[in-house]
Amino acid sequence: MNHRFREQSDNQHTLRPSRTPPGLSTKIMALIGKVALVTGAGQGLGKGFSDILLKNGAKVALLDINENIGENTRADFGKGYGEDRVCFFTCDVASVEQLEDAFQKTIERFGRINIMSNNAGILNETNWEKMVAVNLNAVIRGTYLALQHMKKDTGGEGGVIVNTASLAGLGFLLTVPVYTATKHGVVGFTRAVAGASEESGYGVRINALCPGLVKTALLDSTSERHGQFAHLSHLSKEVVKKCGILEVPVVAEGFLQLVMDEGKNGAVMKITHEDAFQKTIERFGRIHIMSNNAGIMDETNWEKMVAINLNAVIQGTYLALQHMKKDTGGEGGVIVNIASMAGLAPFLIFPVYAAAKHAVVGFSRSVADASMMSGYGVRINTLCPTAVSTPLLGAVADEKKNGPFSHLFNLIGDTAKLRKIEVPAVAEGFLQLVTDEDKNGAVMVVKEEGCSYVDFPKEFMLDLKAHIP
Ligand SMILES: NC(=O)C1=CN([C@@H]2O[C@H](COP(=O)(O)OP(=O)(O)OC[C@H]3O[C@@H](n4cnc5c(N)ncnc54)[C@H](O)[C@@H]3O)[C@@H](O)[C@H]2O)C=CC1
Ligand SMILES: CC/C=C\CC(=O)/C=C/C=C\C=C\C=C\[C@@H](O)[C@@H](O)C/C=C\CCC(=O)O
């Protein structure tokens, strides 16, 4: 599934044209030694943003109102990235004193601040005054504090501020009108202050991030926090259906772009994953065949690998099913999920890659049966190629992508001599899975000898009826 990072351009409302044409990256900000302050960093998106900053060499001050989760996150990061690169301060961003105090403590600890992420946010339509204080006022205060410290005209080093808004800052959600207002406020404020900073020669870029729904604690029991429009909660399900739910690492990649791309100021980045699907339908009218093929191999960055190799395959399958299934007017179709031989056999050095691919096989077989039993008219098959001659295999020879078992790297020997098959051979197998109307829940292996179907032993079949008395 193709996640979309898109800069929102709306010239009518742009205060002044940006000096850098949109989409053009000029210079990339190096993060090694840079100091970042992230609010709401104990869990969810803030934790994901802190993680990716640390991974790229920055030092990070984590701020959170919740001392327990903040301390735990600090301890995890300290172990992983070094105790000297991370600290935690308990801070309610809605309190002027606490935010100023945490800001000062960060400067005392690390000497400066180059990156500010105003990310803490809540969803509570009942206590909406508090929500405005956290989601909007604290973002404004955090931006002004950071500007004051970073701006070059008074001796600062310049820097970048990223404010977490939401897709609800560009569109609207009926169940959460005040939340929607705060996020529109963040987008409007960010664009205006970015223009003002540029015009004033401050050397500080300010961008806004607008993700769709993200799998974090903020989404738990939202209906209780919908306030007077709780009776419209069922409409949110439509939004989930339309937008799907993003994973934190995907949003963190977008955040990193806004931090590092020196060409971005006043940028508003939308992150959704329904765009590609919707656009295909707009262009061609319908979809009959879906191939969930995107994948990476990186044991070091395994959370991201699971997000792409497994979660996005599940998301892509569900989106395609939703569109194709016959019981709600779809035309039926076929989905082919690309797993690997590592989805059927252990793969030393790449255990998480193997886990994700095993899961793709299990998921595809299960959902294939479910689709058939539901009369959806959608077949779902899995392709498991052995090593194929593509750049993905570069990870095998790249110790940085080998994770905790890189010491076994020598066992593999010369990867250039690894026996590989060619792309057209795999494409032939793929075509069979698409065109053969008798194949549903099929798992095809493609090796040097050719294509064959896996015949799973009967004793490994789960007979649900046998389990129900
Ligand atoms: N989860 C979602 O679907 C989306 C979330 N967002 C935004 O992303 C931001 C982060 O939210 P998530 O990570 O999803 O939520 P989360 O609930 O998982 O994490 C939020 C963190 O902020 C902390 N926090 C709450 N109030 C605070 C305060 N007054 N001072 C300091 N820390 C405070 C919490 O303790 C928590 O650790 C929010 O601004 C939210 O509006 C935007 C789009 C979608
Ligand atoms: C309930 C979740 C609240 C907040 C988390 C968050 O910030 C995520 C927002 C994600 C998506 C926003 C989508 C907005 C879409 C709109 O532009 C329209 O397409 C939606 C139209 C009707 C929505 C019905 C409803 O309001 O529930």
Side-chain angles (χ1 to χ4, degrees), residues 122-126 131 166 168 171-184 222-223 225-227 229-230 232 236:
I122 56 173
L123 196 153
N124 191 337
E125 291 289 318
T126 311
M131 186 164 61
S166 157
F172 58 87
L173 290 171
L174 304 184
T175 43
V176 288
V178 181
Y179 181 86
T180 302
T182 62
K183 296 303 183 180
H184 271 71
T222 41
S223 53
R225 287 179 266 134
H226 276 167
F229 294 110
L232 298 178
S236 307

Side-chain angles (χ1 to χ4, degrees), residues 191-251:
R191 294 175 69 197
V193 80
S197 169
E198 193 172 336
E199 201 64 63
S200 312
Y202 283 178
V204 180
R205 295 181 290 110
I206 307 153
N207 297 315
L209 191 62
C210 291
L213 297 164
V214 193
K215 203 199 281 169
T216 71
L218 186 114
L219 292 189
D220 297 343
S221 60
T222 41
S223 53
E224 286 154 34
R225 287 179 266 134
H226 276 167
Q228 58 179 310
F229 294 110
H231 59 280
L232 298 178
S233 290
H234 59 283
L235 294 175
S236 307
K237 293 203 180 101
E238 290 304 312
V239 177
V240 175
K241 240 195 231 169
K242 188 175 156 215
C243 299
I245 299 203
L246 295 159
E247 298 288 327
V248 169
V250 172
V251 184

Side-chain angles (χ1 to χ4, degrees), residues 77-367:
F77 286 157
K79 263 187 239 136
Y81 297 109
E83 300 292 341
D84 55 329
R85 288 183 52 204
V86 59
C87 62
F88 167 69
F89 302 118
T90 310
C91 168
D92 176 354
V93 293
S95 150
V96 180
E97 298 73 35
Q98 289 185 34
L99 189 57
E100 285 178 354
D101 190 45
F103 212 85
Q104 269 318 313
K105 282 186 184 146
T106 304
I107 295 167
E108 277 160 29
R109 172 72 192 265
F110 291 130
R112 61 186 179 279
I113 296 172
N114 312 100
I115 301 159
M116 171 89 188
S117 160
N118 288 301
N119 164 74
I122 56 173
L123 196 153
N124 191 337
E125 291 289 318
T126 311
N127 193 352
W128 60 262
E129 291 90 342
K130 173 82 192 291
M131 186 164 61
V132 174
V134 174
N135 291 12
L136 181 57
N137 297 1
V139 171
I140 297 173
R141 189 165 313 282
T143 304
Y144 281 159
L145 271 173
L147 262 184
Q148 199 57 36
H149 172 74
M150 294 172 179
K151 66 197 180 80
K152 288 186 171 168
D153 65 332
T154 48
E157 295 177 15
V160 60
I161 302 169
V162 178
N163 294 332
T164 308
S166 157
L167 209 53
L170 301 168
F172 58 87
L173 290 171
L174 304 184
T175 43
V176 288
V178 181
Y179 181 86
T180 302
T182 62
K183 296 303 183 180
H184 271 71
V186 171
V187 171
F189 168 72
T190 303
R191 294 175 69 197
V193 80
S197 169
E198 193 172 336
E199 201 64 63
S200 312
Y202 283 178
V204 180
R205 295 181 290 110
I206 307 153
N207 297 315
L209 191 62
C210 291
L213 297 164
V214 193
K215 203 199 281 169
T216 71
L218 186 114
L219 292 189
D220 297 343
S221 60
T222 41
S223 53
E224 286 154 34
R225 287 179 266 134
H226 276 167
Q228 58 179 310
F229 294 110
H231 59 280
L232 298 178
S233 290
H234 59 283
L235 294 175
S236 307
K237 293 203 180 101
E238 290 304 312
V239 177
V240 175
K241 240 195 231 169
K242 188 175 156 215
C243 299
I245 299 203
L246 295 159
E247 298 288 327
V248 169
V250 172
V251 184
E253 288 291 333
F255 166 83
L256 190 68
Q257 260 185 44
L258 288 180
V259 168
M260 292 180 76
D261 187 340
E262 302 264 17
K264 293 278 181 274
N265 181 41
V268 179
M269 182 188 275
K270 230 173 115 176
I271 306 184
T272 61
H273 55 187
E274 103 280 15
D275 273 19
F277 211 88
Q278 269 314 114
K279 283 206 176 119
T280 307
I281 295 167
E282 275 159 30
R283 174 73 193 269
F284 293 120
R286 55 192 178 273
I287 296 172
H288 297 113
I289 303 162
M290 169 95 187
S291 167
N292 289 301
N293 166 72
I296 60 169
M297 208 180 202
D298 187 350
E299 290 291 311
T300 308
N301 205 349
W302 61 263
E303 294 95 335
K304 182 175 170 191
M305 187 166 64
V306 172
I308 294 171
N309 292 10
L310 176 60
N311 299 8
V313 171
I314 296 173
Q315 190 73 56
T317 303
Y318 281 157
L319 270 173
L321 261 184
Q322 200 59 37
H323 172 74
M324 294 173 180
K325 68 198 183 77
K326 289 186 171 170
D327 67 330
T328 48
E331 295 181 12
V334 59
I335 302 169
V336 179
N337 292 334
I338 313 304
S340 155
M341 274 299 285
L344 298 165
F347 188 22
L348 90 172
I349 310 190
F350 291 94
V352 182
Y353 181 85
K357 294 301 188 181
H358 271 71
V360 168
V361 174
F363 168 74
S364 307
R365 293 176 65 207
S366 307
V367 85

